[in-house]
Amino acid sequence: MLEFLKNYYVFMLVLMVFSYLVPKEEYRIYIQFFISIFIIVLLVKPIMEVFSLQGIDKLYDVFEQFQNQVDNLDLEQ
């Protein structure tokens, strides 16, 4: 978690510097829009990873139960 926060702050710093280096004020609005999209994606990514890992674990458990049932059927014959 600490690594994520460190990366987040470094990313924000780079994006802020980049937004101030834009030559025209008109373009700054568009750059800030894309920066905000990057920030949203950056914040949502860890949350999605947690949910996807839980889904994969559940799928693995179901597959393992199915495999055990198939193995038991083979042993009974």
Side-chain angles (χ1 to χ4, degrees), residues 15 29-39:
L15 288 178
I29 297 169
Y30 299 110
I31 296 298
Q32 288 177 347
F33 173 73
F34 286 112
I35 287 172
S36 63
I37 290 175
F38 282 129
I39 292 169

Side-chain angles (χ1 to χ4, degrees), residues 1-4 8 10 12 24 29 35 46 49-50 52 55 59 70 76:
M1 184 65 170
L2 185 61
E3 187 70 26
F4 169 74
Y8 176 75
V10 170
M12 289 296 298
K24 293 187 178 181
I29 297 169
I35 287 172
E49 287 177 357
V50 168
S52 68
L59 183 64
V70 169
E76 291 174 1

Side-chain angles (χ1 to χ4, degrees), residues 5 7 14 16 26 31 36 42 44 52-53 62 66 71-72:
L5 291 175
N7 289 338
V14 170
M16 283 185 181
E26 304 148 356
I31 296 298
S36 63
L42 186 68
V44 169
S52 68
L53 287 178
V62 169
F66 177 74
D71 290 342
N72 289 337

